[in-house]
Amino acid sequence: MTRTFLKMTLGATTLAFMATQSMAQAANCAPHDVVVQRLAAGYGESRQSIGVGANNTVVEVFASLETGSWTITVTAAGGLTCMVASGEAFQVMAEGLPNTDSPA
């Protein structure tokens, strides 16, 4: 009886933890057009770069060249976009490859 109760308690705790994680993640996710609109209206950010990530996700960097705020988003195949990182002091860089002819 004690073993069954322990298993049920552990299962319920695991489900509660998973639900909490899902709700926290969902708070940072929305349809792509909604995220783009919020970043533009709230922070003056526009898309600065885009690429394809793991599992065919689309990774985008949004930034405001005026304020320096930036946000990285990941969009899944179904169209749900999640904000995964943000910060300040965005700068546009165009660095070339390092010189590989000289020894380090």
Side-chain angles (χ1 to χ4, degrees):
M1 182 79 163
T2 304
R3 182 176 281 189
T4 302
F5 179 75
L6 182 60
K7 286 181 183 179
M8 289 174 50
T9 303
L10 183 59
T13 303
T14 302
L15 288 175
F17 177 76
M18 290 171 55
T20 303
Q21 293 298 326
S22 295
M23 290 185 334
Q25 184 180 15
N28 291 326
C29 301
H32 186 264
D33 58 335
V34 172
V35 172
V36 171
Q37 185 178 36
R38 286 182 185 168
L39 292 174
Y43 302 97
E45 296 180 6
S46 62
R47 184 171 43 212
Q48 301 298 313
S49 62
I50 187 170
V52 177
N55 298 325
N56 291 322
T57 57
V58 176
V59 179
E60 298 170 288
V61 176
F62 292 83
S64 169
L65 300 179
E66 291 181 17
T67 67
S69 69
W70 57 266
T71 304
I72 298 174
T73 65
V74 175
T75 304
L80 189 63
T81 299
C82 297
M83 295 176 283
V84 297
S86 62
E88 301 174 356
F90 178 81
Q91 296 180 14
V92 176
M93 305 292 286
E95 294 181 357
L97 293 173
N99 184 358
T100 59
D101 293 334
S102 62

